[in-house]
Amino acid sequence: MLSEHVQEIEVKYRVIEGTALEAALAGRGVVLSAPVRQDDQAYAPRGWSYGDSKIGVPFARLRTQEGRCGHLFTVKRPVANEQACVEHETMVQDRAQMHEALVAMGFRPTVRIVKTRRTARMDTRELGEVAVCVDEVEHLGLFLELEALVRGGSAEGAQRALDRVARSLGVGLERVSDTYDSLVRQTPATA
């Protein structure tokens, strides 16, 4: 669990050159994990709609991950922007019961995000350890996420530092400011 003073800061990119990305990461000594399938159900508070601001609004997610007992329950509240959040997570045993509890608390399911994720850690001079996620998202394609836990300071400054790390890889990347739920919602094949 993260305190109010620690934020999960991330940057996300659509990957143009998947093979080049893997080679660039390997060249930095970053070894990606074996792929795992993640099935995420996103939730928003009743009364919130896509197009409304996400800042200060709590959003929930239930994740079932291949090979993991239980389901990961997460609540994120964007602070500075959609990719700078205060986050709380815990494991739950019964996904169906947690779904019902979320509905009873005033959340509604929005979109389902299914992806295959490979992860690693990378040490950086500016931010220390950074989580690296390479995601093949159904209906969206290949993405790179870099995440850091930051105590205090500027979320935007941390995102600029993460962007420098991504750009230093020297591969084709297109930065996106939306979260996966918004991207999936915008895709005609899933709408």
Side-chain angles (χ1 to χ4, degrees):
M1 175 166 68
L2 303 178
S3 75
E4 279 296 309
H5 303 290
V6 177
Q7 294 179 51
E8 179 193 70
I9 308 297
E10 68 181 49
V11 291
K12 186 184 313 292
Y13 302 86
R14 189 175 303 275
V15 176
I16 310 302
E17 308 165 21
T19 305
L21 174 64
E22 289 187 41
L25 289 170
R28 299 263 177 101
V30 177
V31 179
L32 293 169
S33 68
V36 294
R37 184 177 187 273
Q38 295 179 336
D39 180 351
D40 296 349
Q41 177 61 61
Y43 297 83
R46 266 188 228 112
W48 180 89
S49 296
Y50 282 96
D52 293 350
S53 174
K54 289 186 176 182
I55 305 301
V57 178
F59 295 90
R61 176 183 68 213
L62 276 174
R63 171 175 290 163
T64 301
Q65 181 171 304
E66 176 180 64
R68 181 186 283 169
C69 293
H71 312 276
L72 185 62
F73 169 63
T74 306
V75 174
K76 291 185 176 190
R77 184 175 49 81
V79 181
N81 57 55
E82 289 186 34
Q83 296 179 3
C85 300
V86 173
E87 179 178 296
H88 304 278
E89 292 186 321
T90 192
M91 294 298 290
V92 296
Q93 291 305 307
D94 190 322
R95 182 173 172 141
Q97 283 298 306
M98 192 67 222
H99 167 84
E100 294 301 327
L102 281 160
V103 170
M105 288 186 282
F107 285 87
R108 62 179 175 74
T110 55
V111 298
R112 197 128 194 194
I113 302 117
V114 178
K115 62 186 174 295
T116 301
R117 171 168 278 184
R118 294 180 297 155
T119 61
R121 298 274 178 200
M122 174 190 293
D123 287 321
T124 68
R125 192 166 26 101
E126 288 184 77
L127 296 168
E129 189 175 77
V130 169
V132 177
C133 301
V134 177
D135 296 329
E136 182 71 41
V137 184
E138 285 186 9
H139 309 293
L140 293 179
L142 191 63
F143 288 83
L144 169 69
E145 278 188 4
L146 299 179
E147 299 176 354
L149 297 179
V150 177
R151 183 178 303 280
S154 160
E156 291 89 353
Q159 286 171 322
R160 283 191 299 274
L162 287 168
D163 185 61
R164 284 191 292 275
V165 171
R167 300 291 176 195
S168 75
L169 295 171
V171 300
L173 300 171
E174 174 189 323
R175 187 161 176 191
V176 295
S177 59
D178 287 323
T179 54
Y180 286 143
D181 69 303
S182 293
L183 291 170
V184 166
R185 177 87 165 55
Q186 296 166 13
T187 303
T190 62

